């Protein structure tokens, strides 16, 4: 049996300060794998001789754009927050095939060495896109009481057009007694 995998990943980002209280950041990230697996069952083995092959390629790419804010509203109230957008794209393709009825030539492991015509390979091809916008705001009062608000809306390419958007949010509060 052979089992090989190539994995490539990385990212690049650029951050630019627009003012002392606001910056913009752009980022792109990629993560991809390529797999190739082979299974062999020799002529004369306990079962019917066979050669099976599986190839798979998967990758995910993310594009982000963020506006980051940090400013004291007054001597007692601090604010930090962000507005952002994320585009995520994934691709998957795979194919699995095997010989049928045994091998014609012993030790020749190839799909074309099938005794009978091979059955239709199992193929998968998927492309998914999710576009998101989000915001986060954190308020502090005298570095003692904190309020955090966040919201995000995503739109998916794999859901029906009239129902492909989903919204979620959170609210949190905290008290820092040590201050």
């Amino acid at each position: 049996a052979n089992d090989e995998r190539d994995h490539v990943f990385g990212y690049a980002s650029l951050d630019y300060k627009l003012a002392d209280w606001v910056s913009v950041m752009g980022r792109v990230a990629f993560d991809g794998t390529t797999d190739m697996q082979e299974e062999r069952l020799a002529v004369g083995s306990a079962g019917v001789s066979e050669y099976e092959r599986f190839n798979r390629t998967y990758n995910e790419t993310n594009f982000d754009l963020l506006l980051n804010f940090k400013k004291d509203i007054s001597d007692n109230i601090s604010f930090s927050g962000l507005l952002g957008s994320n585009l995520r794209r994934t691709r998957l393709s795979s194919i699995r095939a095997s010989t049928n009825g045994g091998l014609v030539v012993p030790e020749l492991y190839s799909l074309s060495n099938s005794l009978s015509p091979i059955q239709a390979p199992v193929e998968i091809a998927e492309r998914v896109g999710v576009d998101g916008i989000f915001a986060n705001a954190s308020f502090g009062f005298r570095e003692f009481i904190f309020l955090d608000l966040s919201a995000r809306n995503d739109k998916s390419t794999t859901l029906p057009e009239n129902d492909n958007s989903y919204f979620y949010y959170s609210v949190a509060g905290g008290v820092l007694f040590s201050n």
Side-chain angles (χ1 to χ4, degrees):
N2 286 353
D3 191 352
E4 298 176 18
R5 171 175 276 189
D6 293 326
H7 188 185
V8 176
F9 58 92
Y11 80 94
S13 67
L14 181 63
D15 200 348
Y16 183 75
K17 196 169 196 171
L18 299 172
D20 64 341
W21 58 275
V22 63
S23 66
V24 62
M25 182 186 67
R27 176 175 54 205
V28 62
F30 178 84
D31 189 355
T33 58
T34 302
D35 299 296
M36 198 276 283
Q37 299 170 358
E38 296 176 297
E39 296 288 333
R40 298 174 185 87
L41 196 55
V43 172
S45 296
V48 176
S49 60
E50 178 184 57
Y51 173 71
E52 181 178 327
R53 183 168 176 165
F54 175 65
N55 293 75
R56 178 182 176 270
T57 301
Y58 174 82
N59 65 58
E60 177 177 306
T61 308
N62 281 278
F63 304 93
D64 298 306
L65 184 62
L66 301 168
L67 278 173
N68 293 291
F69 307 94
K70 187 169 179 118
K71 186 163 182 70
D72 289 335
I73 297 172
S74 70
D75 288 341
N76 294 325
I77 300 174
S78 62
F79 166 75
S80 65
L82 65 86
L83 290 173
S85 173
N86 169 258
L87 304 176
R88 178 172 49 94
R89 299 294 181 262
T90 59
R91 289 182 178 199
L92 167 69
S93 66
S94 69
I95 185 168
R96 182 183 301 272
S98 62
T99 57
N100 185 13
L103 299 174
V104 176
V105 178
E107 297 183 30
L108 177 58
Y109 297 103
S110 168
L111 293 172
S112 61
N113 190 30
S114 182
L115 186 63
S116 301
I118 65 172
Q119 296 177 2
V122 176
E123 295 183 77
I124 297 174
E126 296 177 354
R127 296 178 92 176
V128 176
V130 177
D131 300 339
I133 55 172
F134 50 90
N136 181 331
S138 296
F139 298 93
F141 178 69
R142 293 188 179 181
E143 297 299 314
F144 173 66
I145 298 173
F146 297 92
L147 174 66
D148 294 323
L149 309 167
S150 65
R152 182 176 178 117
N153 192 83
D154 285 329
K155 187 175 181 180
S156 175
T157 61
T158 58
L159 297 174
E161 268 192 56
N162 61 348
D163 194 21
N164 66 353
S165 181
Y166 39 100
F167 177 76
Y168 38 102
Y169 60 91
S170 70
V171 176
V175 176
L176 187 59
F177 289 107
S178 62
N179 284 351

